[in-house]
Amino acid sequence: MRTIDSIAHLQREGELLADAAAEAGEHAPVPTCPGWSTGDLVRHTGTFHRWAARIVAERLPGPVPEDPMPEGPTGAALLPWFRDGHGGLVRTLRAAGHETDCWTFLPAPSPLAFWARRQAHETAVHRVDAESARGGKLTSLDPAFAADGIDELLTGFHARSGSRVRAEQPRALRVRPTDADAAWTVRLSAGAAPRTERSTDGPADCELTGPAQDLYLVLWNRLPLDAATLTGDAALAALWRETSAIS
């Protein structure tokens, strides 16, 4: 996905998040983030927006510790604070050149491409959280954007040694969206991080299929497994569910 498109998705998703949070109210519980209120969610996302904008704007080398989540703002100041930070991040990314050099923590064509992609998906997942607090139908995700988010999760986050997804015996989990030109085979073992191939070569022990949006949210544990069509070993999908949380 082009960087300019990632930034456009970031802008859209942040605006939708703020709108959903306004409808839900600051103290509404967030079903997809047990123990959090909508206010907690907004402060968390707004803090990460400011953190990312600072890294890009100041071209910081890394690693850069995450900014602490603020105790405030609350009440009437909360959403203006969020919108200000979100807008600042969008403006920072649009102003940054592709030669911008700063810290990243996943492979990417450039630091700018990384931060635009990462913050677009960070915001999209938390927009879904805000809409779950509000109730009602979730706003649809573009299939190509959702597929890009699946790719980031599988080939980025779960390629790191910190991924907790392990299998005692070698296993293969396939993910195949029905509305995007993409597919992944995730190979699990006991002693190493998952290894993801952007292909459907070879057999798979379990396959998840469905619209890219549903697979994206299933893999991020925002929808239940039965939101996808599962064939093969359901225990392997359950293993993913139990061990794949990103912290």
Side-chain angles (χ1 to χ4, degrees):
M1 178 164 288
R2 298 182 305 166
T3 299
I4 191 172
D5 296 325
S6 294
I7 297 171
H9 283 292
L10 166 63
Q11 180 171 7
R12 173 183 184 266
E13 294 297 327
E15 291 168 354
L16 288 170
L17 191 160
D19 290 345
E23 293 180 46
E26 182 180 357
H27 302 292
V30 182
T32 49
C33 298
W36 274 26
S37 68
T38 302
D40 295 328
L41 176 72
V42 170
R43 283 184 287 273
H44 166 84
T45 312
T47 297
F48 271 76
H49 286 167
R50 285 167 166 78
W51 175 69
R54 181 167 61 87
I55 291 168
V56 175
E58 299 178 22
R59 302 192 176 198
L60 297 178
V64 181
E66 295 170 5
D67 291 340
M69 185 169 166
E71 294 183 4
T74 60
L78 177 59
L79 288 176
W81 172 85
F82 173 83
R83 292 182 192 276
D84 180 64
H86 169 249
L89 173 60
V90 170
R91 290 190 296 274
T92 294
L93 293 172
R94 284 184 171 152
H98 286 279
E99 75 285 354
T100 297
D101 188 18
C102 61
W103 175 66
T104 64
F105 57 86
L106 294 176
S110 70
L112 178 60
F114 166 78
W115 283 109
R117 183 194 209 194
R118 175 79 294 274
Q119 289 301 305
H121 291 297
E122 174 87 7
T123 306
V125 170
H126 289 318
R127 183 267 294 173
V128 170
D129 294 330
E131 291 186 345
S132 77
R134 179 199 64 193
K137 187 176 180 180
L138 295 178
T139 304
S140 296
L141 285 163
D142 173 69
F145 176 66
D148 181 70
I150 295 170
D151 188 81
E152 184 202 41
L153 179 64
L154 298 181
T155 68
F157 279 106
H158 284 291
R160 302 188 298 176
S161 60
S163 174
R164 297 185 301 113
V165 184
R166 299 288 191 275
E168 292 183 4
Q169 301 296 327
R171 309 285 279 163
L173 172 67
R174 182 156 295 145
V175 179
R176 191 199 303 263
T178 55
D179 56 355
D181 184 19
W184 303 264
T185 301
V186 186
R187 302 196 183 279
L188 308 178
S189 63
R195 180 170 56 86
T196 297
E197 303 163 359
R198 296 184 180 102
S199 77
T200 57
D201 293 342
D205 300 289
C206 176
E207 180 166 304
L208 297 175
T209 60
Q213 169 180 292
D214 293 348
L215 295 177
Y216 178 64
L217 297 178
V218 165
L219 293 169
W220 273 107
N221 296 333
R222 262 51 185 196
L223 286 179
L225 277 172
D226 61 11
T229 299
L230 187 156
T231 55
D233 184 3
L236 183 56
L239 173 70
W240 176 277
R241 191 77 174 181
E242 293 162 5
T243 61
S244 65
I246 302 295
S247 61

